Amino acid sequence: MIINPSKLTGEISAIPSKSYAHRALICGGLARGKSKIYFDRTSKDIEATIDCLKELGADILKFDGGVEVSGIEKKDGVPYINPGESGSTFRFILPLATFFYDRCRFTGEGRLPYRPIKDLLDLMKDHGVSFSADKLPFVSKGKIKAGDYMIRGDVSSQYITGLLFLAPLFDEACKIILTSKLESKSYVDISLDVMEKFGIKVEEEIYGYEVSGQTYSPCDYKVEGDWSNAAFFLAAGALDNEITLRGLNTNSKQGDMKIVDVLKNYGADVRVTEDSVRVRSDKRRHIDVNLEDVPDMLPALSILAAGAKGRSSFYNGKRLRLKESDRLSTTAEMIRALGGQVEEREDCLVIYGKGGLRGGVVDSHNDHRIVMAASLASVISDDKIYLTGERAVEKSYPEFFKDFKKLGGSLE
């Protein structure tokens, strides 16, 4: 794909939050009865969660604007669980599958078989489950047992969410004991928020979480707008012209809502209403951002930094090396390919902004957020951007380029 230098301006609606959709679908699958989950746009990752729930025995029917989910009813045979490239789907479903079935087959695609899972597998082994291998593909054997689950909080918050979904299904209370600081806590807060809507109460303790045996209740649930993907277009407004995103919950639990504060610090004129955010370009100042709770924002923030003048730093990002790509490395590679100056360190990036970029050839490494960031770079590039692997956006935002063009983006 060739992306031409262009100015983006106008108004679009935010897509439904992938994080909330995953969780609402799973809670619907665990409930006794029928739930309606409302979201008007989907993605490969959301479809992966739907497919895995159906494989476990949930009945899911699509309608215009959402799906109706009937709770899991155990089937005969051995489920074959394929979450595609969705790390969230895999880590959420894995413990649940071993609650319902003595034996399950698991596989995955892309980089998923190489992304972290060992800590969760080891914990599940301590609670009655064995695995034919230490990475995908593998077969699980045995049903997971209740008890105290001791796990690190600095590898993947998705482990914690998977255990939280599981815990209410047992008759006895379970404790999830964190042996290190919980990073990306906002994602766990999203899980607790959704679980509460489905009737589950979780006690937050100094050591982690305690969950008593409870029953998921069906409900009708509307998925809120996605701040993670909205961040790219909001950043475009800060770089040049003015952009409004509608359908965003400005009281959201989503950590990437932090983009509002980042853009204000950057020097943009930001106006927040009850369900929308308008960003107008003004000053472009260098920024320093702690990535611990907002790792997905790095690619968009790197373009902001390149569009400013001076030294910007993005730190506490070590876990970004374990995403769809080594996102510290691929973000740095993108900035260099476009004519920017960047220094890559073990857990951070330092970008020396020059007020713009040159253009060039960008390899997305099949990472949806690199694709969106490279497209955003066209706002401040002097020449064309040649992008490979643009279809990676289908993972989270299949209509990204449609919205990009609606705002004035030019591509071939």
Side-chain angles (χ1 to χ4, degrees):
M1 177 178 285
I2 300 172
I3 305 173
N4 299 307
S6 56
K7 306 300 182 186
L8 303 186
T9 189
E11 179 180 312
I12 58 171
S13 295
I15 64 170
S17 165
K18 181 163 68 87
S19 296
Y20 269 94
H22 282 310
R23 290 157 172 82
L25 287 164
I26 289 172
C27 288
L30 297 175
R32 296 176 183 173
K34 294 182 178 180
S35 301
K36 288 187 177 179
I37 316 297
Y38 296 94
F39 52 94
D40 58 3
R41 287 193 271 183
T42 186
S43 65
K44 278 189 174 181
D45 279 9
I46 293 173
E47 292 300 317
T49 292
I50 290 172
D51 290 343
C52 289
L53 287 170
K54 289 167 73 172
E55 187 66 15
L56 290 178
D59 187 20
I60 302 180
L61 302 174
K62 295 184 178 181
F63 59 84
D64 187 19
V67 297
E68 182 180 80
V69 182
S70 298
I72 292 170
E73 296 286 346
K74 187 178 176 182
K75 303 188 299 183
D76 293 332
V78 179
Y80 182 66
I81 308 297
N82 182 3
E85 296 184 67
S86 176
S88 298
T89 303
F90 178 41
R91 292 164 179 157
F92 297 167
I93 292 288
L94 176 59
L96 296 173
T98 64
F99 174 86
F100 289 102
Y101 293 88
D102 290 308
R103 187 178 175 88
C104 298
R105 292 184 298 155
F106 295 87
T107 190
E109 300 171 7
R111 268 174 57 99
L112 184 61
Y114 306 99
R115 295 177 67 182
I117 197 64
K118 184 179 185 301
D119 288 325
L120 184 57
L121 294 186
D122 288 346
L123 184 61
M124 293 175 66
K125 290 174 187 176
D126 292 339
H127 289 76
V129 184
S130 64
F131 299 92
S132 62
D134 289 330
K135 68 176 186 178
L136 291 171
F138 56 65
V139 177
S140 69
K141 186 176 180 181
K143 282 194 171 185
I144 196 164
K145 298 174 183 176
D148 293 346
Y149 294 85
M150 299 181 67
I151 193 163
R152 290 169 58 183
D154 60 352
V155 177
S156 174
S157 66
Q158 294 167 356
Y159 295 165
I160 317 304
T161 287
L163 295 171
L164 284 169
F165 285 146
L166 169 72
L169 302 177
F170 295 114
D171 292 333
E172 59 264 53
C174 294
K175 292 180 180 178
I176 299 168
I177 301 168
L178 302 176
T179 60
S180 68
K181 181 181 178 182
L182 177 57
E183 297 186 5
S184 291
K185 184 178 183 295
S186 60
Y187 286 101
V188 176
D189 290 339
I190 292 172
S191 304
L192 298 178
D193 186 37
V194 177
M195 290 172 71
E196 184 178 10
K197 300 297 191 300
F198 284 82
I200 301 298
K201 183 172 178 56
V202 176
E203 297 294 335
E204 195 165 350
E205 306 288 354
I206 191 168
Y207 58 77
Y209 303 92
E210 182 168 354
V211 191
S212 59
Q214 299 168 64
T215 301
Y216 284 86
S217 301
C219 80
D220 291 351
Y221 189 92
K222 187 178 189 308
V223 176
E224 66 177 57
D226 192 316
W227 279 94
S228 298
N229 285 316
F232 291 89
F233 289 124
L234 294 175
L239 288 167
D240 193 69
N241 285 334
E242 178 181 323
I243 290 178
T244 298
L245 266 289
R246 299 206 172 275
L248 291 170
N249 175 10
T250 51
N251 294 303
S252 179
K253 302 283 187 185
Q254 295 177 61
D256 287 342
M257 195 175 75
K258 185 179 178 181
I259 188 66
V260 170
D261 293 330
V262 172
L263 295 179
K264 288 178 180 178
N265 292 335
Y266 188 68
D269 177 11
V270 182
R271 180 178 298 172
V272 178
T273 65
E274 187 175 335
D275 72 339
S276 71
V277 180
R278 188 220 68 189
V279 179
R280 179 186 294 161
S281 59
D282 189 1
K283 302 177 181 66
R284 295 188 199 169
R285 294 194 287 255
H286 60 86
I287 47 177
D288 298 300
V289 179
N290 184 347
L291 298 171
E292 186 175 293
D293 287 323
V294 289
D296 289 339
M297 289 203 328
L298 176 65
L301 298 182
S302 72
I303 305 301
L304 286 175
K309 289 188 176 180
R311 180 185 184 276
S312 295
S313 65
F314 308 101
Y315 55 95
N316 287 337
K318 188 174 183 178
R319 287 180 304 118
L320 281 159
R321 297 198 181 278
L322 307 172
K323 295 288 187 176
E324 286 84 347
S325 67
D326 176 345
R327 210 171 272 162
L328 282 173
S329 179
T330 54
T331 299
E333 179 185 309
M334 172 185 65
I335 295 296
R336 290 192 194 100
L338 295 173
Q341 185 179 352
V342 57
E343 182 180 341
E344 178 185 345
R345 300 176 183 172
E346 182 182 3
D347 70 343
C348 73
L349 287 188
V350 179
I351 295 175
Y352 301 91
K354 304 175 183 178
L357 292 166
R358 179 189 63 220
V361 180
V362 174
D363 181 350
S364 76
H365 294 277
N366 201 38
D367 189 327
H368 54 135
R369 301 205 189 278
I370 298 297
V371 173
M372 289 185 267
S375 304
L376 169 62
S378 66
V379 174
I380 55 168
S381 290
D382 296 328
D383 209 341
K384 296 181 178 184
I385 295 171
Y386 297 83
L387 176 63
T388 64
E390 72 279 357
R391 293 187 64 180
V393 292
E394 293 174 5
K395 187 178 197 304
S396 65
Y397 197 164
E399 295 183 347
F400 172 79
F401 287 111
K402 178 181 177 181
D403 286 342
F404 180 75
K405 289 195 289 185
K406 182 177 179 181
L407 292 171
S410 172
L411 51 89
E412 304 168 34

